């Protein structure tokens, strides 16, 4: 049985420095992941609220149009109902019409998807950094240069993955 090489203090100090640097990057990546998840959730909730408003306004519009086209209404009542249905499409109760709300809903959904994708990419970088720290530490304990190098390579890959996500690549 071979004993780990403990006589290499500079290598151990170098490994400790790499672990500390990767731990800081891991914390930063984690904060970015949390922020991206929060942004995705907020955009999804806002889109859901708008979706409820859209469905309410569409139901009201349909009811007004169906009632206005029914028999037994005089011309003025019918014109008022059709006019109100047209106003719902042009300008709803929240100050925006159905068409504008549908555009805003689509934009919020896209924003939520973009933030979720960013969170996924940062999570991948986060996982790479965590594994890198583990491999460097285990490599140091076992005296394995190969494991330390693998950990450094994985750490670099994690940093590159996180950086690519932040840069939008």
């Amino acid at each position: 049985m071979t004993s780990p090489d403990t006589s290499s203090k500079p290598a151990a100090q170098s490994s400790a420095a790499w672990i500390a640097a990767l731990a800081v990057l891991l914390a930063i990546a984690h904060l970015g992941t949390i922020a991206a998840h929060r942004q995705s959730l907020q955009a999804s909730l806002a889109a859901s609220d708008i979706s409820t408003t859209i469905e309410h306004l569409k139901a009201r519009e349909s009811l007004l149009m169906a009632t206005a086209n029914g028999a037994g209404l005089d011309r003025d009542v019918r014109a008022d109902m059709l006019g109100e249905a047209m106003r719902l499409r042009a300008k709803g109760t929240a100050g925006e019409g159905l068409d504008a709300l549908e555009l805003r809903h689509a934009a919020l959904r896209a924003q939520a998807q973009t933030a979720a994708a960013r969170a996924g990419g940062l999570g991948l970088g986060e996982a790479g950094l965590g594994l890198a720290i583990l491999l460097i530490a285990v490599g140091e304990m076992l005296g394995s240069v190969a494991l330390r190098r693998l950990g450094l390579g994985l750490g670099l890959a994690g940093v590159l993955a996180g950086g690519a996500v932040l840069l939008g690549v």
Side-chain angles (χ1 to χ4, degrees):
M1 183 170 154
T2 59
S3 64
D5 180 18
T6 57
S7 64
S8 171
K9 280 196 175 212
Q13 289 173 344
S14 174
S15 292
W18 278 108
I19 288 172
L22 291 174
V24 168
L25 292 173
L26 177 61
I28 292 169
H30 185 67
L31 291 174
T33 302
I34 290 171
H37 278 297
R38 181 182 38 78
Q39 289 170 350
S40 176
L41 184 61
Q42 286 174 334
S44 290
L45 288 173
S48 178
D49 290 346
I50 288 175
S51 179
T52 301
T53 302
I54 288 170
E55 293 307 314
H56 166 76
L57 291 176
K58 282 182 177 179
R60 181 152 173 76
E61 178 187 44
S62 295
L63 179 66
L64 286 167
M65 292 179 84
T67 304
N69 289 322
L73 294 175
D74 66 12
R75 188 179 304 254
D76 291 338
V77 173
R78 182 174 306 194
D80 287 345
M81 286 183 166
L82 291 174
E84 187 177 345
M86 295 293 284
R87 282 189 299 276
L88 286 175
R89 183 137 310 264
K91 185 176 182 184
T93 57
E96 296 179 303
L98 278 167
D99 296 333
L101 285 172
E102 287 172 343
L103 289 174
R104 194 163 139 218
H105 177 261
L108 283 168
R109 285 287 178 209
Q111 181 182 350
Q113 289 175 346
T114 300
R118 189 171 61 248
L122 287 170
L124 181 65
E126 204 177 337
L129 289 168
L131 286 172
I133 291 169
L134 177 70
L135 286 172
I136 293 170
V138 169
E140 188 58 41
M141 287 188 301
L142 298 176
S144 171
V145 173
L147 279 178
R148 287 192 299 245
R149 287 183 180 162
L150 180 62
L152 288 172
L154 195 52
L156 178 62
V159 169
L160 291 176
V165 168
L166 291 176
L167 294 175
V169 178

